[in-house]
Amino acid sequence: MNRKYKITCALTVLTLAMAGCAGKTSKVPEVKPNPLPKLVQASSLVPVFSTSVAATDAADPLRLRLDVDNGVVFAVNPNGEVTAFNGKQKLWQSKVSKAGLSAGVEAGEGILVVGNQKGQLFALDQATGQQLWTAQLTGALLAPSSIQSGRVITVSNDGTVYAHEVATGKQAWTYNLPNVQFSLRGMAAPVVLDPRNVLIASSNAYIYVLDALSGTPKLQRRVAISDGRSDIQKLIDIDGDPVVAGQFVVTTSYQGQVTVLDLASQQVIWSEDASSTQRPEVAGNGVFVAQNDGKLAAFEITTGQPLWVNDQLLNRQLSNPVMLAGQLVVGDLDGVLHLIDPATGNIIGRSKTSGEVRTLRVIDNQLYVSTRKGALSIWQSR
């Protein structure tokens, strides 16, 4: 088997960084982030909860996200700890791994799972933090797992999909994604398609639907193409999680496209050029994409017609966009949370956290934020 080489350059001016990884030594011009635009009567968010954990390396795309189940919030620390909170009250704290942790919490079916860069997957009891089982995988774990139908579904960074039994940790099946010679360091998380099936995105711009119980493949479809000539220019990874919206699956890819696939026909209904390593957001009839150059773009979900483009945040290393209480929210390298009018693309407000925003989630109308500096926080709309 050919070894897969993971490119570990930082995402600051990603194309230039990739050229640096390829061995070029010529000095590249510094690209400065756009200054924050002035706002009049700006909206803002209200902080609900915050805690701090260890910072992470700027070049490593770790997704140490928060998760919540049955009203309990679970936070992962890259130093190897997991903590449970009920409101601001700490319920328990458990040291899980001396080798640290690199994949964010996934909670469900009475357990929570985290992983590390040595390929170790840990399952803890939600109520006590007691370690229930451990599994050794073949590659680093950089993306959260998925829990569904009594299975923990995990994709290691060597492209192997694993399913373990929730109750025992026994390996139920594996599925090997096609080997690629070069790819970005990172992986999209498994996405629940329905109670029986899981959606997997790969480094070769394909998506797969697998039976969560047996691992049997049910769908394989290419959703992006590259016209590059060199190995670096041909990189076309899907690192942002796909989004399932009714009959549609929406994907973004690096140096590729934003694409909408119709599950009923298993055909791509439209695809537009947009380089992004972030999960898109879908709300109403809109598909919202944060591109690697800092542009925000919106497309009509059934036709791909462009709705608007906002270029005020160029080179600000945007996070994934999310919808909160009718407003689009995206984070940046300075910890600024930008509020966007989804109808026009205009910036209508901002709030501030600490450190480069890595991951945004919305659960039960609250915004869950994690940053590279280790600030984990929950916000709500004012």
Side-chain angles (χ1 to χ4, degrees), residues 14 99-100 103 127 195 199 235 252 272 291 308 316 319 359:
L14 194 49
L199 183 67
L235 289 174
T252 55
E272 292 289 339
Q291 300 186 98
W308 52 258
R316 296 196 65 85
S319 73
T359 305

Side-chain angles (χ1 to χ4, degrees), residues 18-75:
M18 288 299 168
C21 284
K24 295 182 180 180
T25 58
S26 58
K27 186 177 180 180
V28 295
E30 180 183 2
V31 179
K32 296 182 179 180
N34 268 18
L36 294 176
K38 294 182 179 180
L39 301 178
V40 178
Q41 296 181 340
S43 301
S44 61
L45 301 171
V46 179
V48 176
F49 166 86
S50 66
T51 188
S52 296
V53 298
T56 59
D57 191 316
D60 219 349
L62 304 188
R63 296 167 57 186
L64 299 172
R65 70 182 194 188
L66 297 161
D67 201 6
V68 61
D69 197 24
N70 296 318
V72 178
V73 175
F74 302 98

Side-chain angles (χ1 to χ4, degrees), residues 67-87:
D67 201 6
V68 61
D69 197 24
N70 296 318
V72 178
V73 175
F74 302 98
V76 61
N77 194 322
N79 70 8
E81 295 177 342
V82 178
T83 307
F85 297 91
N86 184 0

Side-chain angles (χ1 to χ4, degrees), residues 228-255:
R229 295 185 178 181
S230 70
D231 288 332
I232 300 300
Q233 292 171 336
K234 290 179 182 178
L235 289 174
I236 196 168
D237 297 42
I238 302 174
D239 277 5
D241 302 345
V243 175
V244 179
Q247 71 188 78
F248 302 124
V249 174
V250 184
T251 59
T252 55
S253 54
Y254 173 64
Q255 299 185 146

Side-chain angles (χ1 to χ4, degrees), residues 58 68 113 206 212 217 222 241 246 249-250 256 314 318 321 349 372:
V68 61
V113 291
Y206 276 77
R222 189 180 184 100
D241 302 345
V249 174
V250 184
L314 289 180
L318 301 183
R372 189 186 71 79

